[in-house]
Amino acid sequence: MKITVIGTGYVGLPSGAGFAELGHDVICVDNDLAKVALLRSGQVTLYEAGLEELMMRNVASGRLRFSSSMADSVPQADVVIIAVGTPPHPITKEADMKYIRAAAIELADHLSGYTVVAIKSTVPVGTGDEIEALIHLKNPEAQFDMVSLPEFLREGYAVYDFFHPDRLVIGTDSEVARNTIAKLYSSFGPETKRLFVNRRSSEAIKYASNAFLAVKIHYINEMANFCEKTGADVTEVAKGMGMDERIGNRFLNPGPGFGGSCFPKDTIALVTMAQKNGVKMSLIEATVEGNTKRKQQVAKRILEAPGSGDVHKIAVLGLAFKNGTDDCRESPSLEIINHLLDAGISIVAYDPKAMKVAKQIYGDRIEFASDMYAALKDADVLAILTEWDEFRDLDLHKAAQLMNKLNIVDCRNILNPSLARANGFSYSSIGRA
Ligand code: UDX
């Protein structure tokens, strides 16, 4: 099949490369000319495990191409997939629809023959109806069906998740469109669940899923606070809870709060959408509020790590919002660093992938170290904020020799507490003594 993917971000690029790998003929379109030029020259514009190899292989086979022109890519497409960003609107806090609308208006003129237009971006319930009307208005002759095709892939695992989805949700009432999308994924075996629902349900499933996972994280973070006061160990509590299949063991890792381009914005957007419809979503409201406070609490804990001693310099390991990505959007690490800077502390930071992105944000307001040990030199506190594997292997003996004061605040519970203490550190982690 011929597929055009609009938007080459964290969703569009891995999906486009993935569809090419499934044997489809794919053109990824972006209106950022510089980005398209980089992609055409063989450079991957974002970090995702396995993406470079996947892209190279499919570019070489001729199944994956890049373009900045809808006129060159939309007319021949059987399926046009919209995967542009829906960042929070600066005023309303709802998903900002300007990129979706712009893409729809532009593609409308180029639709030719029957086409399925699918929205992969996370969009408010009812967006499919709005975009369908917009395309009709712009091009009354166009023959197309609008489908909601939400994407559930995680950053850092986007390539893996593309090929191993828990489920495919396909939202449309059109049988032709259903069959077309089913064909798109026909090489996936019966183990991949396919759920055909109406378009609005499909749009709602995406928000409901992300918000539920965010609630789960907020829940375990509050449970961690409770464990700290009562002498329980949240790691053991989470393990015990997770053994109940009704609860499940995933998304029960306590930490510095959830970040990224999805959970923070989607929870706020859902609360706002609900309010507009006269519905109160108190659980999600509490999650949004709790997650904001979480980062202040963690910053306070880091500042107070050495007891009554002075803190001048803090080594931060981890800038990305989670491991496996260079993405710093809504990263708890950055918000915590901002609180520490406000308190007049010098920060030296290291992240295996996100240094370039963070340097654009901070310039010379913080120092960037060449590796994790360089970050520790003369630091009064080590704060671990992202759960990169290489931090798990930190040589604590070496670390103790480099630091000025021996304090570790492990906000991802990745170090061995007894080993840290045996090396002379005052060690604190999340939700355990
Ligand atoms: C999320 C959804 O998982 C994915 O299905 C959707 O398509 C996009 O949003 P992503 O933003 O890539 O994916 O990250 P995810 O792995 O879900 O983590 C989100 C945040 O929650 C991170 O800051 C992470 O550190 C935090 N988290 C996650 C926890 O603090 N504890 C956990 O147990 C899991």
Side-chain angles (χ1 to χ4, degrees):
M1 293 172 83
K2 292 192 187 323
I3 303 169
T4 294
V5 179
I6 299 172
T8 58
Y10 284 93
V11 170
L13 204 52
S15 305
F19 284 124
E21 181 81 1
L22 296 182
H24 301 300
D25 192 357
V26 180
I27 306 182
C28 290
V29 185
D30 205 295
N31 58 8
D32 182 339
L33 301 181
K35 208 173 181 187
V36 171
L38 283 173
L39 290 166
R40 279 182 166 162
S41 73
Q43 291 189 55
V44 185
T45 44
L46 51 92
Y47 175 74
E48 265 303 329
L51 182 58
E52 188 167 359
E53 300 86 315
L54 186 70
M55 276 176 56
M56 295 309 135
R57 193 163 57 243
N58 285 284
V59 166
S61 73
R63 285 195 302 268
L64 178 62
R65 286 172 293 149
F66 303 98
S67 171
S68 54
S69 159
M70 291 216 203
D72 291 347
S73 55
V74 170
Q76 67 273 33
D78 300 305
V79 181
V80 175
I81 294 174
I82 301 178
V84 297
T86 49
H89 189 280
I91 296 161
T92 63
K93 305 291 177 209
E94 286 175 277
D96 192 340
M97 298 295 294
K98 69 178 174 202
Y99 302 113
I100 299 266
R101 291 192 188 111
I105 289 168
E106 194 180 340
L107 76 86
D109 283 337
H110 303 296
L111 289 172
S112 164
Y114 174 77
T115 313
V116 170
V117 179
I119 299 185
K120 252 199 187 304
S121 316
T122 303
V123 290
V125 179
T127 296
D129 298 12
E130 183 204 324
I131 299 301
E132 184 177 65
L134 200 63
I135 295 176
H136 268 310
L137 198 69
K138 191 82 203 317
N139 180 358
E141 306 300 313
Q143 293 168 22
F144 70 101
D145 276 313
M146 273 315 295
V147 175
S148 161
L149 192 61
E151 182 53 70
F152 300 99
L153 52 80
R154 296 161 300 167
E155 284 184 30
Y157 301 88
V159 172
Y160 177 86
D161 285 354
F162 179 87
F163 293 105
H164 306 90
D166 284 340
R167 80 293 208 194
L168 298 169
V169 175
I170 299 147
T172 175
D173 290 332
S174 152
E175 207 179 321
V176 187
R178 276 183 188 195
N179 294 338
T180 307
I181 298 292
K183 232 168 103 187
L184 200 60
Y185 292 101
S186 59
S187 46
F188 286 180
E191 69 284 358
T192 305
K193 289 169 241 155
R194 287 133 166 108
L195 180 69
F196 295 97
V197 291
N198 83 40
R199 205 160 55 200
R200 284 178 181 241
S201 301
S202 170
E203 291 164 342
I205 285 170
K206 175 68 199 223
Y207 279 103
S209 302
N210 274 1
F212 187 82
L213 293 171
V215 167
K216 209 172 171 189
I217 297 166
H218 173 58
Y219 180 86
I220 201 69
N221 283 340
E222 286 203 327
M223 196 51 71
N225 294 343
F226 176 73
C227 288
E228 281 166 21
K229 295 286 181 207
T230 54
D233 178 333
V234 74
T235 317
E236 292 175 354
V237 172
K239 199 169 171 188
M241 286 170 64
M243 285 175 175
D244 184 332
E245 284 180 12
R246 292 170 304 174
I247 298 173
N249 59 9
R250 295 169 75 186
F251 278 73
L252 286 178
N253 296 316
F258 56 78
S261 64
C262 295
F263 289 176
K265 104 175 148 61
D266 293 348
T267 43
I268 294 175
L270 184 51
V271 166
T272 315
M273 259 188 288
Q275 277 166 357
K276 255 177 130 171
N277 285 282
V279 177
K280 184 160 176 66
M281 294 197 128
S282 53
L283 196 54
I284 304 168
E285 283 177 19
T287 298
V288 170
E289 195 193 326
N291 198 55
T292 305
K293 286 198 182 133
R294 181 89 190 146
K295 286 158 281 191
Q296 293 160 6
Q297 289 160 1
V298 170
K300 188 163 175 274
R301 174 188 293 220
I302 295 168
L303 282 171
E304 291 172 357
S308 55
D310 285 344
V311 184
H312 301 289
K313 189 169 180 178
I314 293 180
V316 168
L317 292 187
L319 296 161
F321 81 98
K322 63 172 191 179
N323 69 341
T325 180
D326 61 353
D327 195 347
C328 290
R329 283 176 291 175
E330 299 285 333
S331 172
S333 179
L334 302 200
E335 288 188 47
I336 291 164
I337 288 175
N338 291 340
H339 287 302
L340 300 177
L341 287 174
D342 288 346
I345 306 291
S346 304
I347 304 291
V348 191
Y350 171 73
D351 187 287
K353 294 287 177 208
M355 302 277 270
K356 196 170 146 199
V357 177
K359 276 180 188 167
Q360 284 165 2
I361 298 167
Y362 285 108
D364 57 8
R365 285 193 298 135
I366 68 172
E367 207 182 310
F368 292 95
S370 53
D371 63 50
M372 60 179 169
Y373 295 105
L376 300 185
K377 199 163 177 319
D378 299 329
D380 300 310
V381 182
L382 159 59
I384 301 180
L385 293 176
T386 312
E387 72 283 32
W388 286 102
D389 277 344
E390 72 171 82
F391 301 160
R392 293 177 198 270
D393 299 330
L394 182 76
D395 179 336
L396 288 156
H397 179 67
K398 193 170 164 184
Q401 288 171 329
L402 289 166
M403 288 178 66
N404 181 40
K405 290 181 187 160
L406 302 192
N407 297 294
I408 296 179
V409 184
D410 179 0
C411 302
R412 297 285 188 168
N413 293 2
I414 57 174
L415 297 183
N416 179 327
S418 0
L419 211 59
R421 289 181 186 127
N423 277 283
F425 283 96
S426 154
Y427 172 85
S428 80
S429 55
I430 304 285
R432 48 191 194 178

